[in-house]
Amino acid sequence: MDRVQELRSLAEQLVGVPASLHDYQWDGVAFLCRSTMALLADEMGLGKTVQTAVALALVFKAEDEIRRALIVAPASLTMNWESELAKWAPSLVVRRVTGAVQDREANYQLPIPVLVSSYEQIRKDGLDRIPADTFDIVILDEAQRIKNLNSLTSVACRILARKRAWALSATPLENSAQDLESILRFLDPLLPADLSGQQLQRHLESVMLRRRKKEVRGELPPVIIQELRLELAHRQRTRYDQAWSRRHDDAAVGPEEVGAVLLGMITRLKIICNHDIESGSSCKLQALREICDSAGQEARILVFSQYVRTLLWIADRIELRHDLVTGSMSMAERNEAMHRFRTEAGPRVLLVSLRAGGVGLNLEEATHVVMFDRWWNPAVEMQAVYRAHRFSRGTPLHVVRFTVVDSIEERIALILDSKEKMFREIVDSAETKAKGFSVREMLQILEISAANLSLQDS
């Protein structure tokens, strides 16, 4: 039995992997398991998180000296790591590092097998609050975050004591070979000083595994859908809770008005989930920035929202070159924006309203699609996705859907998932086959009882 087959058998039998991985992913698991220092640099969408979760469960099971692990990720991705580890490494006990200084210090000192922390927290805690020899393995997700060798974040990550060091990044080299130095010094603290770019490149080749979608496309589905669960930023949460607490008072209207009133309430709450206008805070904007940073220099990212005001808000805050397509634009203006998206040098972003982008656009040049918020009808969402997934594509399409936890977005997602089962075969006319949300569904989303409203399902 070869090493990969042995790992596959061990994972399925001993650590509870719930489903089969692709062959290239088992190769990645084997690469991590046999490496004390490793850079997994697969293109975005190929499952670096999944491979790492399975490998981590295996080394915990197979190696007595591995007892505690720390995963450092951008703040917007820590919850995603927690959920992915629960799915792919259910044998591991995992906790996110949260709270004030005393709470974080307790997490570091307690014998919790796997901690997930943000770069911001490690910048604050790594220099003096994490005891020596706390962790046996340290994993950096989006490791390009430490490319600045002298930044406090980079230093704090590099001084963490560990027996193994793994780094994950689809874009380990963004501008020059020097971008690699900090990542390589995290992986190998004994790396000689003053290495040339060529020497860094040679060392990189000894520790890196990188696969591209075009190399493994035969193993991938045509559309890779990733659900990214996010937590509201602090000020967003305050604003959301205030609006949520008023919902019963706002719903005290006659039956003939209740549908429009409920829709307005849901719209206000959904927009707060996108961004808080007063404070400017947005967990989704931060997640979008992470996607843009990780997508690579040739990336062409479609961002869909049902709200034009949200797209305009994003446009004022996103750093990549971008254009906008909305229903109020003339066809000539839309065509000009799409032409720039297709032909000008990447990375580029095209911000598209779902109503304008669901039909009539052919954007197979897109490498990624981000659903910033969810439409009422899953068929309309998929029509938008299939603007990019055309027959002429040579690689799978990576789709990311944002969902804010502990909000109406979770309840909307449940309803959409149930509706989606009715639309396994998506055709251009599918929009005519489903309604938006009924009054009773809107009441369900808002957790308002219909008992006293005498409503009929609409």
Side-chain angles (χ1 to χ4, degrees):
M1 183 182 296
D2 63 25
R3 176 66 167 164
V4 171
Q5 185 60 37
E6 181 182 348
L7 284 170
R8 188 196 304 255
S9 177
L10 183 64
E12 292 172 349
Q13 294 175 27
L14 299 181
V15 298
V17 174
S20 296
L21 277 65
H22 298 293
D23 287 346
Y24 79 87
Q25 291 176 320
W26 283 115
D27 290 336
V29 171
F31 164 72
L32 291 172
C33 285
R34 66 172 177 259
S35 301
T36 56
M37 56 185 78
L39 171 59
L40 184 60
D42 290 346
E43 275 190 339
M44 187 179 181
L46 294 185
K48 292 187 291 297
T49 303
V50 170
Q51 295 171 70
T52 305
V54 175
L56 190 61
L58 285 168
V59 297
F60 263 82
K61 193 73 176 181
E63 301 182 23
D64 292 337
E65 70 272 16
I66 302 297
R67 298 178 182 274
R68 296 200 68 191
L70 173 68
I71 299 169
V72 186
S76 61
L77 300 181
T78 57
M79 177 168 284
N80 188 63
W81 266 100
E82 188 177 39
S83 61
E84 290 295 283
L85 286 164
K87 178 179 179 181
W88 294 100
S91 61
L92 298 178
V93 176
V94 180
R95 181 178 296 175
R96 281 188 300 140
V97 177
T98 58
V101 171
Q102 296 86 345
D103 299 319
R104 301 200 304 271
E105 287 181 338
N107 283 325
Y108 300 135
Q109 293 172 6
L110 290 170
I112 303 164
V114 181
L115 291 180
V116 181
S117 184
S118 70
Y119 281 100
E120 291 80 2
Q121 290 167 332
I122 295 303
R123 184 185 69 239
K124 296 174 183 176
D125 300 342
L127 298 177
D128 57 10
R129 295 194 179 106
I130 299 178
D133 301 325
T134 299
F135 300 106
D136 303 304
I137 180 168
V138 176
I139 301 167
L140 301 187
D141 187 24
E142 304 294 347
Q144 70 275 7
R145 280 293 193 92
I146 67 163
K147 67 179 182 180
N148 183 343
L149 188 66
N150 298 316
S151 71
L152 287 178
T153 300
S154 178
V155 172
C157 289
R158 294 203 310 274
I159 67 171
L160 291 169
R162 67 270 185 192
K163 297 171 184 173
R164 288 183 177 227
W166 297 346
L168 317 178
S169 176
T171 55
L173 191 153
E174 294 183 333
N175 298 306
S176 70
Q178 298 308 312
D179 290 348
L180 297 169
E181 184 172 358
S182 185
I183 297 175
L184 292 177
R185 293 193 183 283
F186 162 75
L187 296 176
D188 184 0
L190 300 179
L191 200 65
D194 301 322
L195 292 180
S196 67
Q198 193 173 41
Q199 289 171 316
L200 288 171
Q201 180 70 27
R202 284 199 299 270
H203 192 71
L204 174 70
E205 292 171 357
S206 71
V207 298
M208 183 177 74
L209 176 65
R210 177 170 174 79
R211 280 78 57 87
R212 297 172 175 82
K213 290 190 182 78
K214 64 183 179 182
E215 298 167 358
V216 298
R217 62 177 177 266
E219 297 185 49
L220 294 174
V223 178
I224 305 166
I225 297 179
Q226 177 186 1
E227 307 286 348
L228 193 57
R229 293 163 57 81
L230 304 169
E231 285 184 304
L232 290 171
H234 176 69
R235 291 182 179 178
Q236 262 185 299
R237 172 54 66 187
T238 299
R239 178 84 164 166
Y240 181 93
D241 289 345
Q242 290 171 347
W244 178 255
S245 67
R246 295 193 300 266
R247 71 194 189 285
H248 288 98
D249 294 336
D250 292 345
V253 295
E256 69 281 357
E257 301 172 285
V258 72
V261 169
L262 294 176
L263 181 59
M265 292 165 58
I266 290 173
T267 298
R268 286 194 295 276
L269 289 165
K270 280 171 60 67
I271 288 176
I272 295 172
C273 286
N274 284 351
H275 59 94
D276 174 26
I277 295 175
E278 290 186 3
S279 68
S281 61
S282 171
C283 60
K284 291 185 179 181
L285 180 64
Q286 185 58 43
L288 177 61
R289 285 171 171 161
E290 298 292 346
I291 291 170
C292 291
D293 288 345
S294 303
Q297 292 300 308
E298 301 303 317
R300 301 185 190 279
I301 303 167
L302 290 176
V303 179
F304 286 105
S305 172
Q306 67 185 103
Y307 304 115
V308 173
R309 72 183 87 172
T310 291
L311 295 173
L312 293 171
W313 187 88
I314 296 170
D316 287 339
R317 289 160 179 81
I318 198 167
E319 296 177 359
L320 294 186
R321 288 168 292 182
H322 59 272
D323 285 289
L324 190 67
V325 172
T326 70
S328 64
M329 296 169 59
S330 69
M331 188 55 66
E333 290 173 324
R334 294 192 209 184
N335 288 338
E336 184 178 348
M338 290 188 292
H339 178 73
R340 286 194 294 269
F341 180 76
R342 291 189 186 107
T343 62
E344 294 188 6
R348 292 195 70 88
V349 172
L350 188 63
L351 303 164
V352 187
S353 68
L354 267 170
R355 277 297 192 188
V359 295
L361 304 184
N362 292 318
L363 292 165
E364 63 270 19
E365 293 83 3
T367 57
H368 302 76
V369 173
V370 175
M371 308 302 296
F372 205 82
D373 47 63
R374 306 295 302 276
W375 185 246
W376 312 113
N377 182 339
V380 175
E381 284 190 347
M382 290 311 296
Q383 283 178 342
V385 168
Y386 277 85
R387 297 308 97 201
H389 191 266
R390 315 302 290 178
F391 287 116
S392 57
R393 284 193 71 88
T395 58
L397 178 67
H398 187 194
V399 179
V400 182
R401 298 196 298 209
F402 292 159
T403 301
V404 172
V405 299
D406 193 20
S407 79
I408 63 167
E409 288 200 340
E410 282 190 312
R411 291 181 284 283
I412 289 172
L414 287 174
I415 294 174
L416 289 177
D417 287 345
S418 67
K419 289 187 172 188
E420 214 164 3
K421 295 176 182 176
M422 299 163 21
F423 298 104
R424 296 302 183 190
E425 298 295 329
I426 300 297
V427 295
D428 286 343
S429 61
E431 184 179 0
T432 64
K433 296 182 181 180
K435 302 184 296 180
F437 290 154
S438 68
V439 168
R440 289 196 181 277
E441 287 171 332
M442 289 191 285
L443 289 169
Q444 178 185 345
I445 289 167
L446 291 164
E447 295 184 348
I448 296 175
S449 173
N452 298 322
L453 296 178
S454 301
L455 295 173
Q456 299 297 317
D457 200 11
S458 61

